[in-house]
Protein backbone atom coordinates (compact mmCIF):
# COMPACT_ATOMS: atom_id res chain seq x y z
CA UNK A 1 0.00 0.00 0.00
CA UNK A 2 1.40 3.39 -1.01
CA UNK A 3 1.49 6.29 1.42
CA UNK A 4 3.13 8.96 -0.76
CA UNK A 5 2.70 10.34 -4.24
CA UNK A 6 4.45 12.93 -6.37
CA UNK A 7 2.43 15.49 -8.27
CA UNK A 8 3.22 16.54 -11.80
CA UNK A 9 5.67 19.37 -12.25
CA UNK A 10 2.88 21.57 -13.65
CA UNK A 11 0.67 20.95 -10.59
CA UNK A 12 3.58 21.73 -8.30
CA UNK A 13 4.25 25.01 -10.10
CA UNK A 14 0.57 25.96 -9.87
CA UNK A 15 0.46 25.16 -6.15
CA UNK A 16 3.66 27.16 -5.55
CA UNK A 17 2.27 30.21 -7.36
CA UNK A 18 -1.15 30.13 -5.70
CA UNK A 19 0.38 29.36 -2.30
CA UNK A 20 2.46 32.52 -2.57
CA UNK A 21 -0.24 34.82 -3.95
CA UNK A 22 -3.20 33.60 -1.87
CA UNK A 23 -1.27 32.67 1.28
CA UNK A 24 -2.93 29.24 1.40
CA UNK A 25 -1.03 26.10 2.42
CA UNK A 26 -0.35 23.50 -0.26
CA UNK A 27 -2.47 20.83 1.39
CA UNK A 28 -5.52 23.12 1.32
CA UNK A 29 -4.88 23.70 -2.38
CA UNK A 30 -4.55 19.95 -2.98
CA UNK A 31 -7.96 19.33 -1.38
CA UNK A 32 -9.49 22.15 -3.43
CA UNK A 33 -7.94 20.68 -6.58
CA UNK A 34 -9.47 17.26 -5.87
CA UNK A 35 -12.86 18.88 -5.25
CA UNK A 36 -12.72 20.86 -8.50
CA UNK A 37 -11.67 17.78 -10.45
CA UNK A 38 -14.56 15.74 -9.03
CA UNK A 39 -16.98 18.63 -9.61
CA UNK A 40 -16.06 18.93 -13.29
CA UNK A 41 -18.24 15.95 -14.32
CA UNK A 42 -15.77 15.16 -17.09
CA UNK A 43 -14.39 11.63 -16.84
CA UNK A 44 -10.68 11.21 -16.35
CA UNK A 45 -8.88 10.50 -19.62
CA UNK A 46 -6.04 8.04 -20.09
CA UNK A 47 -3.63 10.96 -20.30
CA UNK A 48 -4.69 12.10 -16.79
CA UNK A 49 -3.10 8.92 -15.43
CA UNK A 50 0.19 9.42 -17.26
CA UNK A 51 1.49 12.74 -15.98
CA UNK A 52 5.07 13.10 -14.79
CA UNK A 53 6.18 12.75 -11.16
CA UNK A 54 8.56 15.69 -10.99
CA UNK A 55 6.49 17.75 -8.55
CA UNK A 56 5.85 17.81 -4.83
CA UNK A 57 5.87 14.70 -2.72
CA UNK A 58 2.64 14.47 -0.74
CA UNK A 59 1.76 12.16 2.14
CA UNK A 60 -1.55 10.26 2.00
CA UNK A 61 -2.41 11.08 5.63
CA UNK A 62 -1.93 14.79 4.98
CA UNK A 63 -4.08 14.70 1.83
CA UNK A 64 -7.03 12.65 3.07
CA UNK A 65 -6.51 12.57 6.85
CA UNK A 66 -9.38 11.09 8.83
CA UNK A 67 -11.58 11.33 5.73
CA UNK A 68 -9.66 8.73 3.70
CA UNK A 69 -12.74 6.50 3.35
CA UNK A 70 -14.85 9.49 2.30
CA UNK A 71 -12.36 10.47 -0.40
CA UNK A 72 -12.28 6.89 -1.64
CA UNK A 73 -16.08 6.70 -1.78
CA UNK A 74 -16.32 10.02 -3.65
CA UNK A 75 -13.72 8.98 -6.20
CA UNK A 76 -15.41 5.58 -6.62
CA UNK A 77 -18.78 7.28 -7.18
CA UNK A 78 -17.18 9.60 -9.70
CA UNK A 79 -15.47 6.75 -11.57
CA UNK A 80 -18.55 4.45 -11.38
CA UNK A 81 -16.55 1.48 -10.16
CA UNK A 82 -14.99 -0.08 -7.09
CA UNK A 83 -11.31 0.79 -6.74
CA UNK A 84 -8.69 -1.27 -5.02
CA UNK A 85 -6.59 0.60 -2.52
CA UNK A 86 -3.68 0.55 -4.99
CA UNK A 87 -5.87 2.11 -7.70
CA UNK A 88 -7.31 4.72 -5.35
CA UNK A 89 -3.96 5.86 -3.97
CA UNK A 90 -1.83 6.99 -5.65
CA UNK A 91 -3.29 6.44 -9.14
CA UNK A 92 -6.73 8.10 -8.98
CA UNK A 93 -5.84 10.62 -6.28
CA UNK A 94 -2.82 11.81 -8.30
CA UNK A 95 -4.89 12.06 -11.48
CA UNK A 96 -7.48 14.22 -9.71
CA UNK A 97 -4.82 16.38 -8.04
CA UNK A 98 -2.99 17.03 -11.31
CA UNK A 99 -6.17 17.76 -13.27
CA UNK A 100 -7.67 19.77 -10.41
CA UNK A 101 -4.56 21.93 -10.12
CA UNK A 102 -5.14 23.14 -13.69
CA UNK A 103 -8.79 23.87 -12.87
CA UNK A 104 -7.78 25.67 -9.68
CA UNK A 105 -5.30 27.74 -11.68
CA UNK A 106 -8.07 28.78 -14.07
CA UNK A 107 -10.38 29.76 -11.21
CA UNK A 108 -7.62 31.74 -9.50
CA UNK A 109 -6.64 33.61 -12.67
CA UNK A 110 -10.20 34.81 -13.29
CA UNK A 111 -11.18 35.83 -9.77
CA UNK A 112 -10.17 38.69 -7.55
CA UNK A 113 -10.72 36.69 -4.33
CA UNK A 114 -10.16 32.95 -4.83
CA UNK A 115 -11.83 31.63 -1.68
CA UNK A 116 -14.93 33.79 -2.09
CA UNK A 117 -15.10 32.84 -5.72
CA UNK A 118 -14.82 29.10 -4.96
CA UNK A 119 -17.54 29.33 -2.29
CA UNK A 120 -19.84 31.10 -4.78
CA UNK A 121 -19.28 28.74 -7.75
CA UNK A 122 -22.39 26.61 -7.16
CA UNK A 123 -24.68 29.56 -6.37
CA UNK A 124 -25.07 30.41 -10.04
CA UNK A 125 -26.12 26.90 -11.08
Amino acid sequence: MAFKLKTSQKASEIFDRIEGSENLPCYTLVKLAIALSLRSDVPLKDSDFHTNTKGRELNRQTITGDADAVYKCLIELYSHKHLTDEEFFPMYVKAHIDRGAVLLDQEQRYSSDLLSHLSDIDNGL
Side-chain angles (χ1 to χ4, degrees):
M1 177 168 19
F3 291 102
K4 293 184 180 191
L5 64 78
K6 288 193 88 168
T7 66
S8 69
Q9 184 175 1
K10 183 174 185 175
S12 182
E13 290 167 358
I14 290 168
F15 292 144
D16 287 343
R17 188 178 49 71
I18 296 175
E19 194 174 25
S21 66
E22 300 290 333
N23 200 26
L24 292 169
C26 178
Y27 294 107
T28 299
L29 298 175
V30 166
K31 290 172 180 154
L32 290 171
I34 292 170
L36 286 173
S37 179
L38 289 171
R39 183 187 175 279
S40 74
D41 288 333
V42 176
L44 291 170
K45 299 176 288 197
D46 255 357
S47 60
D48 293 324
F49 292 102
H50 300 291
T51 57
N52 68 57
T53 56
K54 297 179 181 178
R56 288 188 184 210
E57 184 174 88
L58 302 173
N59 186 318
R60 180 177 184 161
Q61 177 62 31
T62 310
I63 297 169
T64 61
D66 293 338
D68 194 72
V70 174
Y71 277 90
K72 186 172 184 201
C73 286
L74 287 171
I75 290 175
E76 285 179 334
L77 283 170
Y78 173 85
S79 58
H80 304 288
K81 67 178 188 172
H82 172 72
L83 300 173
T84 66
D85 200 50
E86 290 75 24
E87 289 174 317
F88 167 66
F89 195 94
M91 197 167 102
Y92 274 78
V93 172
K94 179 182 175 354
H96 281 293
I97 289 172
D98 289 346
R99 181 174 75 166
V102 173
L103 297 171
L104 185 62
D105 185 42
Q106 292 169 355
E107 296 297 337
Q108 196 262 344
R109 287 180 189 265
Y110 300 109
S111 68
S112 57
D113 182 359
L114 179 63
L115 290 179
S116 293
H117 174 68
L118 290 175
S119 65
D120 290 341
I121 282 179
D122 288 328
N123 290 345
L125 299 177

